Amino acid sequence: MLLSFLALCCGGAAVMYVLYSWLIPAAVQYNAWWALLWHDAIVERALNILTRSTRPQRLLKAVQKKAIKGDPQSVISTIDYFCRHSEWAMNVGDEKGAILDSVVCEVSPSTALELGTYCGYSAVRIARLLPPGTKLITLEFNPDYAAVARQIIEYSGLQDKICLVEGASGDLIPKMQELFGIKTLDFVFLDHWKDRYLPDIKLLEECQLLRKGSILLADNVICPGTPDYLEYVRNSPRYESKYFKSHLEYTKVEDGLEKSVFLG
């Protein structure tokens, strides 16, 4: 009887492991909302309870354990590996990250802004490509995310090239010229709350932080999606826009980046 019970428990555990580790993740790879529900609502909450930690803290621990300190590319590769093989996270990711890299290299900005730091992945990705003497300003509303991002940025060795500021983008954008002594921005990466994309670029316009030729690059324009933002930049005579088709980070779900050139 005991052996039968143990065999049943082991069999049930094996089935659960296969479902959790392989079948369900494979099944949700191609469906946007199932992927977000599984990774963000189910797995993250379960692991938070089981480990008594948060996803950003687990990601930080992986970086500290696996990445080479002072090597930004090692930090990026470690995070990508963690997100593909251990636990999904909402970074721009390796596939869209290559597009981000190409745009940053093309622009070679002297002034750069990121809206939405999260754990610092894209900040490290951008800052490692910036010309000497250029700093990336990155804004993060969530203090817990900011605390982890600071440690990842420092671990990468790029703390002198990245200025992380905590607070709401709507409050900080009007103060940027005063706080940082900048006149305009060459490059802006939008990767924060999707309903803030449109209000924030209008605020950048109002505050005259965009010049003719300023580049906006927006992530997640398809999934979760930013329809009002896309309608604006694609139809406004003030912008020339191009869509770069890709996939939601670490999945097969369609997503992409929208590159918009401000025409003045």
Side-chain angles (χ1 to χ4, degrees):
M1 187 73 176
L2 179 59
L3 288 176
S4 298
F5 176 74
L6 290 173
L8 185 63
C9 289
C10 290
V15 170
M16 291 298 293
Y17 177 79
V18 170
L19 283 171
Y20 174 82
S21 301
W22 184 69
L23 286 179
I24 296 177
V28 304
Q29 277 284 304
Y30 297 90
N31 185 286
W33 298 113
W34 280 114
L36 293 174
L37 175 66
W38 171 249
H39 291 298
D40 264 356
I42 298 173
V43 174
E44 182 177 13
R45 292 180 186 180
L47 289 175
N48 287 354
I49 294 169
L50 289 170
T51 65
R52 296 184 180 181
S53 66
T54 65
R55 176 179 285 166
Q57 289 168 342
R58 294 188 290 275
L59 191 151
L60 171 62
K61 189 176 290 186
V63 167
Q64 293 169 334
K65 185 177 180 181
K66 302 285 187 180
I68 300 169
K69 192 169 186 179
D71 184 339
Q73 187 57 53
S74 177
V75 169
I76 291 166
S77 298
T78 299
I79 294 173
D80 284 331
Y81 187 88
F82 174 83
C83 294
R84 282 200 177 275
H85 300 282
S86 297
E87 186 178 355
W88 183 91
M90 56 180 179
N91 312 301
V92 66
D94 46 4
E95 187 180 354
K96 287 185 293 181
I99 300 169
L100 171 61
D101 290 354
S102 67
V103 174
V104 172
C105 290
E106 173 196 338
V107 178
S108 190
S110 58
T111 52
L113 171 68
E114 176 186 44
L115 301 177
T117 315
Y118 188 42
C119 295
Y121 173 93
S122 50
V124 170
R125 187 148 205 145
I126 294 167
R128 85 195 202 284
L129 299 173
L130 293 178
T134 302
K135 271 197 173 184
L136 170 70
I137 302 163
T138 180
L139 310 185
E140 177 53 55
F141 178 74
N142 187 313
D144 294 328
Y145 293 168
V148 168
R150 282 195 178 91
Q151 294 178 76
I152 287 179
I153 289 166
E154 185 175 355
Y155 198 90
S156 74
L158 291 174
Q159 63 272 21
D160 293 335
K161 295 195 74 172
I162 300 171
C163 179
L164 195 165
V165 185
E166 288 181 43
S169 54
D171 296 332
L172 291 168
I173 287 171
K175 301 175 183 177
M176 291 198 67
Q177 289 167 321
E178 176 188 348
L179 289 173
F180 304 106
I182 59 172
K183 291 184 178 179
T184 57
L185 294 160
D186 296 332
F187 176 74
V188 181
F189 182 53
L190 296 93
D191 195 17
H192 56 330
W193 292 106
K194 310 314 163 193
D195 60 359
R196 288 299 312 172
Y197 280 25
L198 183 55
D200 282 347
I201 69 157
K202 287 185 175 180
L203 193 55
L204 289 169
E205 293 171 6
E206 290 169 16
C207 295
Q208 299 183 341
L209 282 161
L210 301 180
R211 59 160 179 83
K212 185 176 181 180
S214 292
I215 303 294
L216 307 177
L217 188 66
D219 189 21
N220 300 128
V221 295
I222 303 300
C223 181
T226 56
D228 57 343
Y229 175 83
L230 287 182
E231 183 180 1
Y232 180 72
V233 295
R234 289 176 177 178
N235 294 293
S236 170
R238 307 191 76 180
Y239 292 94
E240 182 179 282
S241 271
K242 180 181 179 181
Y243 174 61
F244 291 85
K245 184 178 179 180
S246 186
H247 296 95
L248 178 68
E249 39 269 31
Y250 316 113
T251 75
K252 299 297 183 183
V253 173
E254 183 184 343
D255 190 22
L257 298 162
E258 188 81 5
K259 175 189 173 186
S260 305
V261 183
F262 185 66
L263 302 178

